[in-house]
């Protein structure tokens, strides 16, 4: 216990030092220069935000290398250590308000239900946390904007498994429990999440409402990303996509797990009353970020590129991405240059005369549900869902 505390204290100190420098430098301009970040990535590096548990994000330019993020480039976000799962004896259990509780091996899961794939962007609710004003001293992993990635997930539709188990009429929520163990204040528990049953049973044109995934970009799901099986909930914050999934429980209420009942809520004071009265975050917010910029060979044009993510509602697409070099007085519309798909990010670029070098650039997006990014995101205690206009200084 003693050892554990001193390690986490050291990590915390390191982290807050990093957080401070970053936060001070973030406003009004970003620390992140496109070329430095690309060099980092060539060395095969993720930016480690925390060693234990391992939390890391790619440099921003690397996000744009492929619309489907390489598994090696995909951010890692874990609240505890990666559990050692004995795949031979692994069972997924389904219990609670069902007619037939299930206990399924991986082989059974794969053979009993059709294989489906879904392309979905997963973003951590804490992505861009360090852009909240530094005086608010928001704790937690100090993410820049790289805690996001897009992948083709393969597995079975959760709805099929639930149909097989037979969901009782009073059921309203689906709980997920991971096989990892998290210790906080002498209390050990698993990571958990829940989603409304309606989302679990829904299906859109491209994807089931939720997936039990065992592949990521057509490769076996990597250990760090939840092998042998994880939930994937397109359109929802990453915290609802439970890795190392061990148990599904059908209930008439949301999960009592810490990560549903106490955190991942937009609260400002955090009193028990406020937390209790606030519903859990489900869908992720509309967002956009500029990730790299480059002068052309004749040094007459500067091209800026980035990603934009529609809010996680069904059928959401990015409608418009706009950039401003004059603090939001005038805006230039960017081109959308990638596939556009529900629950997925889109890439964009915009070209300015070279005189843009040295200026500060703002970006904001609008989606097909009419959501528009706010200039600033109102404060919340845990620093979730930052989606204020992203600002960088264009230094080359
Ligand atoms: N079992 C378990 N599942 C988990 C987590 C965790 O700590 N334990 N972290 C969640 C959070 S907060 C996010 S953002 C995503 C990150 O998924 P990734 O590490 O594959 O990028 O996993 C989610 N699922
Ligand atoms: Mo997260």
């Amino acid at each position: 216990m003693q050892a554990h505390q001193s390690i986490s204290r050291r990590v915390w100190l390191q982290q807050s030092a990093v957080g401070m420098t970053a936060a001070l430098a973030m406003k009004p301009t970003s620390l992140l220069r496109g070329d430095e970040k690309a060099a980092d990535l060539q060395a095969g590096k993720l930016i480690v935000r925390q060693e234990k548990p391992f939390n890391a994000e790619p440099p921003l330019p690397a996000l744009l290398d492929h619309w489907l993020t390489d598994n090696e480039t995909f951010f890692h976000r874990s609240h505890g250590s990666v559990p050692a799962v004995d795949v031979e004896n692994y069972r997924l259990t389904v219990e609670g308000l069902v007619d037939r509780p299930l206990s399924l091996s991986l082989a059974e899961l794969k053979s009993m239900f059709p294989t489906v794939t879904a392309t979905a962007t997963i973003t951590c609710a804490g992505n861009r946390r360090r852009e909240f004003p530094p005086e608010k001293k928001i704790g937690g992993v100090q993410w820049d904007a790289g805690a996001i990635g897009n992948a083709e997930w393969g597995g079975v539709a959760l709805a099929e498994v639930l149909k097989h188990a037979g969901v009782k009429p009073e059921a309203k929520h689906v709980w997920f429990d991971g096989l990892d163990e998290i210790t906080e204040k002498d209390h050990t528990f698993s990571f958990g999440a829940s989603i409304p049953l309606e989302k679990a049973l829904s299906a859109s044109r491209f994807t089931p409402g939720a997936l039990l995934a065992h592949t990521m970009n057509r490769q076996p799901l990597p250990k760090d990303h939840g092998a042998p099986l994880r939930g994937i909930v397109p359109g929802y914050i990453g915290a609802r996509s439970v890795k190392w999934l061990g148990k599904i429980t059908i209930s008439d209420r949301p999960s009592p797990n810490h990560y549903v009942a106490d955190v991942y809520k937009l609260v400002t004071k955090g009193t028990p009353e406020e937390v209790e009265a606030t519903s859990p975050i489900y869908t992720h917010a509309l967002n956009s970020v500029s990730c790299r910029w480059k002068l052309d060979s004749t040094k007459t044009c500067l091209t800026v590129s980035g990603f934009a993510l529609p809010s996680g509602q069904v059928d959401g697409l990015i409608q418009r991405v706009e950039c401003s070099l004059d603090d939001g007085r005038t805006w230039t519309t960017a081109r959308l240059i990638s596939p556009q798909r529900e629950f997925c990010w889109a890439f964009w670029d915009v070209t300015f005369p070279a005189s843009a070098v040295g200026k500060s650039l703002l970006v904001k997006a609008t989606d097909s549900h009419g959501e528009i990014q706010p200039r600033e995101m109102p404060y919340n205690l845990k620093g979730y869902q930052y989606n204020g206009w992203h600002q960088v200084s264009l230094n080359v």
Side-chain angles (χ1 to χ4, degrees):
M1 202 57 235
Q2 203 52 44
H4 174 83
Q5 275 172 353
S6 65
I7 288 169
S8 45
R9 183 169 156 74
R10 200 180 64 221
V11 169
W12 183 83
L13 286 172
Q14 276 172 359
Q15 245 201 278
S16 45
V18 171
M20 282 273 281
T21 356
L24 289 175
M26 277 307 288
K27 295 263 171 168
T29 55
S30 164
L31 260 184
L32 310 172
R33 278 187 35 185
D35 47 351
E36 285 171 359
K37 294 288 183 160
D40 268 0
L41 188 79
Q42 274 159 16
K45 277 190 212 149
L46 292 178
I47 302 166
V48 178
R49 298 285 176 214
Q50 194 177 8
E51 288 283 356
K52 239 182 146 152
F54 188 68
N55 285 294
E57 64 182 307
L60 297 189
L63 289 175
L64 302 186
D65 285 349
H66 307 284
W67 185 70
L68 289 173
T69 312
D70 287 345
N71 292 358
E72 298 70 38
T73 309
F74 210 94
F75 77 101
H76 295 240
R77 204 289 177 249
S78 299
H79 293 74
S81 311
V82 173
V85 182
D86 170 6
V87 179
E88 290 302 307
N89 294 309
Y90 170 85
R91 286 277 183 289
L92 171 72
T93 60
V94 182
E95 54 194 67
L97 296 174
V98 291
D99 299 329
R100 284 172 299 278
L102 307 174
S103 169
L104 303 169
S105 69
L106 273 181
E108 286 167 336
L109 194 80
K110 290 178 190 174
S111 66
M112 286 166 65
F113 307 101
T115 302
V116 290
T117 59
T119 303
T121 298
I122 299 294
T123 181
C124 184
N127 201 28
R128 301 186 63 194
R129 175 177 283 136
R130 68 188 215 180
E131 291 173 66
F132 278 98
E135 63 275 15
K136 297 288 189 187
K137 295 197 169 59
I138 296 174
V141 181
Q142 295 298 304
W143 298 111
D144 185 18
I148 184 169
N150 188 43
E152 184 195 277
W153 309 96
V156 305
L158 173 60
E160 292 294 321
V161 178
L162 297 188
K163 249 183 255 163
H164 186 75
V167 170
K168 293 194 191 289
E170 61 273 31
K172 289 204 172 61
H173 295 267
V174 182
W175 305 358
F176 302 104
D177 279 287
L179 296 167
D180 46 346
E181 288 189 339
I182 297 145
T183 303
E184 255 186 36
K185 295 181 193 130
D186 293 340
H187 178 53
T188 298
F189 51 99
S190 65
F191 184 88
S194 66
I195 63 172
L197 179 66
E198 201 185 344
K199 171 71 172 169
L201 298 182
S202 69
S204 72
R205 233 166 342 136
F206 294 111
T207 161
L211 231 76
L212 307 180
H214 51 76
T215 67
M216 180 176 182
N217 292 323
R218 303 185 186 192
Q219 293 155 42
L221 185 64
K223 258 193 187 154
D224 278 2
H225 295 294
L229 192 72
R230 77 175 297 173
I232 287 291
V233 188
Y236 278 24
I237 56 167
R240 306 309 177 209
S241 291
V242 173
K243 303 192 279 189
W244 315 294
L245 184 61
K247 184 166 79 172
I248 293 175
T249 309
I250 310 303
S251 174
D252 60 353
R253 65 201 65 178
S255 168
N257 186 278
H258 175 62
Y259 296 98
V260 180
D262 309 324
V263 294
Y264 293 109
K265 291 185 169 187
L266 294 177
V267 295
T268 52
K269 292 189 191 68
T271 58
E273 298 73 33
E274 188 194 17
V275 170
E276 162 110 55
T278 306
S279 56
I281 305 173
Y282 292 119
T283 53
H284 59 67
L286 166 71
N287 224 321
S288 65
V289 167
S290 47
C291 300
R292 63 183 176 208
W293 48 98
K294 213 172 100 196
L295 269 181
D296 72 341
S297 55
T298 62
K299 299 204 159 92
T300 49
C301 296
L302 180 82
T303 298
V304 183
S305 45
F307 69 80
L309 179 70
S311 65
Q313 304 170 67
V314 174
D315 272 342
L317 291 178
I318 289 295
Q319 197 161 58
R320 197 161 53 247
V321 175
E322 295 163 284
C323 293
S324 175
L325 289 170
D326 56 10
D327 199 37
R329 277 186 291 279
T330 60
W331 295 90
T332 305
T333 301
R335 278 197 306 173
L336 297 174
I337 54 171
S338 73
Q340 276 244 67
R341 214 190 235 240
E342 177 195 43
F343 303 132
C344 293
W345 64 8
F347 290 171
W348 54 267
D349 74 8
V350 62
T351 299
F352 293 108
S355 57
V357 173
K359 293 190 177 154
S360 160
L361 179 99
L362 287 170
V363 56
K364 68 170 179 191
T366 304
D367 73 13
S368 54
H369 287 283
E371 305 270 338
I372 304 175
Q373 277 180 256
R375 173 153 208 153
E376 270 162 25
M377 166 79 188
Y379 165 78
N380 67 83
L381 191 67
K382 297 276 185 175
Y384 297 132
Q385 302 259 64
Y386 192 90
N387 77 338
W389 299 348
H390 189 246
Q391 181 166 22
V392 288
S393 63
L394 301 172
N395 298 314
V396 282

